[in-house]
Structures are given as C-alpha cells and as structure tokens.
C-alpha cells in the first residue's frame, strides 16, 4: 500500500508542493496585502494561532457531516432499492430526483429555516439532498445492470425475487454503490459547511462567515483548507471500505 | 420415471421454433440433445426451466407437470457463471442455498474428488477455464434437484481441455448417476458421453431421431478410436445431414 503510494502518489505531492511554492513566492514578490491573499505560511501560522478556538467548530462540523452523510447514504440506498423493485414507481419518480438536484441550495437553505427553524433538521435535509443523489443514481445503475449470465443461472435454478436481490443483484452492485458513496462523502462536508451558514451556534461554516465579514482572510483560508482536508479524509475512509470489500470489487479477467 | 417432454410447441413472432418436441429422460439416464445451432435447443431449456411458456405440450417430472414452474431442475450454463465474490466452496453450495440444506462437508469431498481440493477457498478469477467448468458442474451436481440440464458446457474450452473434461465428467457422473440432459453440437461428444441421443431438425425443431448408444460403461477414451465408434459416428452424421422430409 505504502509502496504503491510512493510509486504513484509522488507526482501529486510534487505538484501540490510546486503550487504552494509558486503561491508563496508570487504573494511575496508582488507584496500582495494579507487581507487580499495570504501566503501559505501565513495560513499555517494562523491555523496554529487560532486552533484552540477553531477546534470546537471543526468537531461540530465533523459530527454534522458524518451524521448527515449516514442519513443521506441510508436515504439514497433506500430510494435506489425501492425504485429498483417497483418499475412504475421508478418511471414516476425518476424525473423528480433529477429536479431535486436543480434546486439551488443557497435559495433552499433560508426557506428550510423558515419552515423548520434553526435546529439541526434543516441542516440534515440540506446534506441529505446533496448526498443521496449520487448514491441513488449509481446504486440504481448497478442494480439494473446485473451480470446476465449469473442472473440467467439464478432464474433457471428457480431463485425467488428476494434471493435474486440478496444473493446476486446487491453484491453485484457493490462497486457502483461504492463509487456513489465516494462522491457523496466529499459532497457531505461541503454541504455541512453550507448548512451552517444558515445560522448555527458553531461549525466551520460559522467560523468562515465571521472571518469573512471581518476581513480576516487567513482565517477564511484556514477554514477552506480544513474543509478540503476533511473531504479528503471522508473519501479515504470510503477507499478503505472498498479495500475491505475487495472480493466484491476485484472481478479479474473474463 | 424421470423427465418427460411431451409435444412442446413454441413460436416467437409467428415463427415456429419448437414443433411438437417429445422425448424422455429416464432416471439415471444420460441424454444428449444435438442439432444445428439456432435450432431452439436453448429455448427448450428455457421452457424446461420454467422461464418460457410453451403454447402447447407438457413437461412432467416423476409424473407431475412442471410446465411454467421454476426450480425443478439443476442447471449448468455454457459459461461457468460462477459468482466472482464467492469462494469456490461458497459457489458450489449455491444451488443448495436456493433449495434445501447447505452441506459443506459433502461439497468439500466432491471438490477434492474433482481435483479442486487446493482451490476450495480461492476465487473464480484465480482458476483456469477447465477448473471453473468443473466447479460449475459440481455446483449442478450438489443441487438437490434430480435432473441436471447442461447447456453446451464445454463449447468454450480448447480441444485438449475439452477431452479431459469429458473424461472427467464421465467418471464423476458414473459415480453419481443422476439424470442428465446435455445440449451439444458435437456428435463425438454426444456418442462418447450419453446413453441416448435425441437429434433435432432445424427451424422448426422437431425430434428427427432418437438413438440408443450401445457402448458399455464405464467408457474411456480408447473407445473414441474403435471401429464401432467410427461406424456410429458416420451413422449419426448421416442422420443429422439428411434433410427432414
């Protein structure tokens, strides 16, 4: 694992380092004001300085994102299974799923606050809307494209609908489900931060809003970079799960 | 009394595919079904398996009609159709999972006997084509149904592997003696393996001839080169080539 990372990952690491060096030197050479664009080193300094007050915000967002992701994933998987099992429902609902993704969250968020108040419910709704879609679409795709030879065998052997689902369709769809989860995992952090703009007690979103309105740009960057790292962490967790489910993902040559 | 196919009639879009196909598979009998490709052999399997509905005719097993009912036969497809996420052991007990009880001890014994003892816990993609077909046959044998339907199981294998597999199949089958209905388009394969050969005509498929194969069991590959085998091969070839009247 580590060796493979060293073999393939070094290019990305070098690229990131180059970007940081370029950024740092440009800001210094043109002596750009800190409130306009801080240097990477200033951002790191700010991170350490602000950490004790930032830390509770981070935890709060982390919790919100994890819970939101789990709710969204559960919802997404359930919707996919229902749509897979009932053809008529699928044909009726599918357009609405796509429409649900065309609602701008920035507009929806204040409405949700009007309807549901400042509690956690509207936040979870926002994260769920962001997360469920990639999961539903890819899971449904996986379930609908079951290996034909395997399903012919199961039908000839007289497998029931339930056996078809649990023994064949669901395990066969695991690679698709995992790719949906990967996309949703990265969305969930972003959606959590956006949902906190609506008025939360704490969270990276709150921290970000306060920092922006007082022109503390290095702090805004701290929030942005931590959000990105958090997304990356979520993504890595799903990759880890993928490794654990290797036998469902590795299919070998035909 | 095993499987009895009686006057099966089936057409797709006005085109008659099966026209009154009738034959029997007795208990413990190995019956091969030969005919040109596209002669509706797989359609017949679909009907026996209960996936397709015949327009007329009946299929009985031990005297009871099983038309439009699924789960009465055990099946081995052309491609191995092993589940890639299951180990070989978990694959061969799949038929038992669907009907009846899982018996892993018996499954392990069968796999040992089939020369798959070393790969019990391997995954299908780690096996060669011949090994996968063996596992697929073991899966069909272990399923609790008494009649096995084999759909051109060796057609995807190379010549050398195929002969090995035929010998292996004979040996395994002679030890178990289940009723087998075997689709093939190889006359030699049909003569070498079966007790009875049902020859189908092409579009629409009718039973042209039923031949009782006279060779004594147990058989081995030396049979393939005997005078008698070649005479029978010529005879079947003539029958297949002869146009239906």
């Amino acid at each position: 694992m580590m060796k493979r990372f060293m073999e393939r990952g070094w290019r990305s690491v070098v690229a990131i380092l180059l970007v940081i060096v370029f950024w740092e030197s440009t800001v210094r050479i043109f002596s750009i004001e800190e409130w306009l664009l801080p240097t990477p080193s200033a951002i790191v300094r700010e991170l350490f300085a602000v950490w004790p007050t930032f830390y509770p915000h981070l935890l709060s967002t982390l919790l919100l994102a994890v819970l939101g992701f789990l709710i969204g994933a559960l919802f997404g998987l359930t919707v996919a299974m229902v749509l897979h099992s009932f053809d008529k429902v699928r044909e009726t609902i599918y357009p609405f799923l796509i429409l649900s993704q065309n609602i701008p969250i920035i507009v929806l968020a204040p409405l949700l606050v009007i309807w549901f108040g400042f509690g956690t419910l509207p936040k979870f709704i926002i994260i769920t809307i962001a997360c469920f879609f990639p999961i539903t679409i890819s899971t449904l795709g996986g379930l609908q494209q079951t290996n034909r030879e395997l399903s012919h065998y199961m039908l000839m052997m007289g497998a029931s609908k339930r056996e078809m689902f649990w023994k064949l369709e669901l395990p066969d769809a695991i690679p698709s489900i995992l790719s949906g989860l990967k996309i949703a995992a990265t969305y969930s952090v972003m959606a959590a931060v956006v949902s906190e703009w609506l008025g939360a007690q704490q969270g990276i979103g709150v921290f970000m809003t306060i920092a922006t309105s007082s022109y503390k740009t290095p702090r805004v960057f701290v929030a942005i970079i931590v959000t990105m790292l958090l997304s990356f962490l979520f993504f890595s967790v799903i990759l880890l799960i993928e490794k654990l489910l290797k036998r469902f993902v590795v299919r070998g040559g035909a | 009394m095993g499987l009895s196919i009686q006057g099966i009639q089936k057409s797709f879009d006005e085109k008659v595919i099966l026209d009154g196909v009738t034959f029997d598979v007795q208990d413990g009998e190995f019956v091969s079904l030969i005919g040109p490709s596209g002669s509706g052999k797989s359609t017949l399997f679909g009907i026996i398996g209960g996936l397709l509905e015949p327009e007329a005719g009946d299929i009985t097993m031990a005297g009871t009609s099983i038309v439009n009912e699924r789960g009465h036969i055990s099946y081995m497809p052309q491609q191995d159709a092993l589940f890639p996420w299951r180990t070989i052991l978990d694959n061969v007990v799949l038929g038992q999972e669907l009907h009846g009880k899982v018996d892993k001890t018996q499954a392990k014994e069968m796999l040992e006997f089939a020369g798959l003892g070393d790969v019990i816990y391997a995954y299908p993609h780690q096996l060669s084509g011949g090994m996968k077909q063996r596992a697929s046959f073991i899966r069909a044998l272990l399923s609790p149904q008494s009649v096995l339907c084999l759909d051109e199981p060796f057609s995807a294998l190379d010549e050398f592997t195929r002969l090995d597999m035929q010998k292996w199949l004979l040996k395994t089958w002679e030890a178990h003696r289940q009723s087998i209905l075997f689709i093939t388009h190889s006359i030699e394969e049909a003569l070498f393996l079966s007790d009875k050969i049902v020859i189908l005509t092409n579009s629409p498929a009718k039973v042209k001839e039923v031949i009782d194969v006279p060779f004594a069991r147990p058989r081995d590959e030396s049979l393939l080169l005997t005078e008698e085998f070649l005479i029978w091969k010529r005879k079947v070839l003539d029958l297949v080539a002869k146009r239906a009247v």
Side-chain angles (χ1 to χ4, degrees):
Chain A
M1 172 94 186
M2 204 57 214
K3 200 175 148 220
R4 251 188 55 198
F5 177 77
M6 298 295 264
E7 276 167 11
R8 293 191 190 171
W10 66 271
R11 285 194 185 85
S12 316
V13 174
V14 169
I16 292 169
L17 286 177
L18 278 177
V19 169
I20 291 175
V21 168
F22 177 74
W23 179 354
E24 181 87 33
S25 45
T26 317
V27 172
R28 279 174 191 268
I29 290 165
F30 296 99
S31 23
I32 297 168
E33 297 280 348
E34 190 168 73
W35 61 269
L36 213 55
L37 181 68
T39 57
S41 57
I43 295 168
V44 172
R45 242 179 291 126
E46 183 70 20
L47 173 65
F48 283 109
V50 87
W51 181 254
T53 45
F54 179 66
Y55 177 67
H57 291 291
L58 172 61
L59 269 189
S60 159
T61 303
L62 183 65
L63 187 68
L64 185 65
V66 170
L67 283 176
F69 172 72
L70 290 179
I71 296 172
L74 201 66
F75 182 72
L77 287 174
T78 313
V79 170
M81 287 176 197
V82 170
L83 296 192
H84 172 64
S85 311
F86 306 102
D87 291 351
K88 295 238 165 58
V89 178
R90 182 172 63 247
E91 282 153 23
T92 318
I93 301 289
Y94 206 86
F96 290 97
L97 287 186
I98 295 163
L99 286 178
S100 80
Q101 296 306 297
N102 296 332
I103 309 168
I105 286 192
I106 300 292
V107 181
L108 186 67
L111 277 177
L112 289 173
V113 173
I114 295 173
W115 295 333
F116 302 108
F118 287 98
T120 45
L121 182 63
K123 297 188 180 66
F124 284 137
I125 293 177
I126 287 177
I127 304 174
T128 302
I129 289 178
C131 282
F132 91 96
F133 187 72
I135 297 174
T136 299
I137 297 300
S138 55
T139 304
L140 194 58
L143 289 174
Q144 303 278 47
Q145 290 162 20
T146 307
N147 182 313
R148 291 187 53 157
E149 280 154 23
L150 300 188
S151 68
H152 182 68
Y153 169 78
M154 288 294 269
L155 288 171
M156 281 295 278
M157 289 298 293
S160 65
K161 248 195 136 173
R162 173 186 291 219
E163 287 167 332
M164 284 293 276
F165 182 78
W166 291 107
K167 290 189 192 296
L168 174 59
E169 290 164 351
L170 187 63
D172 199 44
I174 282 178
S176 315
I177 296 175
L178 283 170
S179 41
L181 287 176
K182 269 188 240 169
I183 301 170
T186 57
Y187 283 6
S188 69
V189 179
M190 218 162 59
V193 171
V194 170
S195 79
E196 284 163 350
W197 290 348
L198 309 174
Q201 308 298 309
Q202 51 182 9
I204 297 178
V206 178
F207 181 87
M208 214 181 247
T209 322
I210 297 171
T212 318
S213 54
S214 50
Y215 288 93
K216 284 180 177 149
T217 316
R219 286 196 185 185
V220 179
F221 274 92
V222 166
I224 292 174
I225 284 164
V226 171
T227 308
M228 282 161 62
L229 288 177
L230 215 52
S231 274
F232 191 70
L233 180 75
F234 271 44
F235 190 83
S236 313
V237 171
I238 307 291
L239 277 186
L240 196 71
I241 294 173
E242 196 169 14
K243 286 259 163 2
L244 294 176
L245 295 175
K246 201 175 116 227
R247 65 196 180 110
F248 291 98
V249 181
V250 178
R251 293 289 156 92
Chain B
M1 170 82 204
L3 183 72
S4 173
I5 318 287
Q6 296 150 12
I8 291 296
Q9 197 82 25
K10 177 75 187 173
S11 40
F12 288 117
D13 305 326
E14 315 271 303
K15 189 174 186 295
V16 183
I17 304 290
L18 300 173
D19 188 10
V21 173
T22 303
F23 64 91
D24 288 334
V25 182
Q26 308 288 340
D27 266 340
E29 195 177 30
F30 195 127
V31 177
S32 287
L33 200 58
I34 61 174
S37 343
S39 62
K41 291 171 294 194
S42 293
T43 309
L44 182 62
F45 259 27
I47 292 171
I48 297 172
L51 301 189
L52 300 169
E53 199 174 334
E55 279 117 37
D58 199 7
I59 296 171
T60 63
M61 190 178 270
T64 352
S65 173
I66 59 161
V67 171
N68 298 332
E69 286 179 20
R70 302 199 289 121
H72 290 286
I73 51 131
S74 178
Y75 177 62
M76 175 179 179
Q78 200 165 354
Q79 305 295 332
D80 56 79
L82 296 172
F83 287 41
W85 54 86
R86 285 176 171 244
T87 60
I88 296 305
L89 180 61
D90 285 337
N91 258 298
V92 297
V93 297
L94 183 59
Q96 296 183 334
E97 270 178 39
L98 299 176
H99 307 278
K101 266 191 115 123
V102 175
D103 183 350
K104 290 207 173 174
T105 328
Q106 186 199 5
K108 277 184 196 163
E109 277 167 21
M110 297 268 284
L111 286 170
E112 297 275 355
F113 182 74
L116 296 172
D118 295 335
V119 294
I120 286 181
Y121 299 108
Y123 290 96
H125 72 267
Q126 299 166 300
L127 272 60
S128 69
M131 286 166 110
K132 282 193 256 193
Q133 282 306 75
R134 274 189 234 184
S136 176
F137 182 63
I138 299 280
R139 176 175 65 181
L141 267 183
L142 280 171
S143 304
Q145 294 90 340
S146 60
V147 177
L148 269 61
C149 291
L150 279 54
D151 188 356
E152 297 191 18
F154 305 142
S155 60
L157 301 174
D158 63 81
E159 193 78 23
F160 301 104
T161 319
R162 194 180 310 146
L163 181 61
D164 274 347
M165 287 299 294
Q166 288 164 353
K167 288 190 293 189
W168 175 82
L169 180 74
L170 262 187
K171 191 178 84 173
T172 314
W173 176 75
E174 277 163 359
H176 291 86
R177 284 279 175 171
Q178 293 207 41
S179 317
I180 289 189
L181 180 56
F182 188 93
I183 291 186
T184 176
H185 47 228
S186 157
I187 292 168
E188 197 167 284
E189 184 171 80
L191 275 171
F192 183 44
L193 297 176
S194 37
D195 298 313
K196 197 161 88 184
I197 299 176
V198 177
I199 302 172
L200 292 181
T201 57
N202 202 359
S203 53
K206 281 186 215 167
V207 175
K208 187 193 261 180
E209 194 81 47
V210 177
I211 299 170
D212 286 309
V213 181
F215 311 124
R217 292 186 190 277
R219 299 175 187 167
D220 61 47
E221 61 182 312
S222 60
L223 172 68
L224 293 171
L225 296 171
T226 59
E227 188 83 10
E228 201 191 359
F229 189 86
L230 294 175
I231 292 171
W232 273 95
K233 192 173 161 184
R234 161 69 50 84
K235 198 168 156 184
V236 177
L237 203 59
D238 286 345
L239 276 169
V240 171
K242 197 174 69 187
R243 291 190 168 277
V245 190

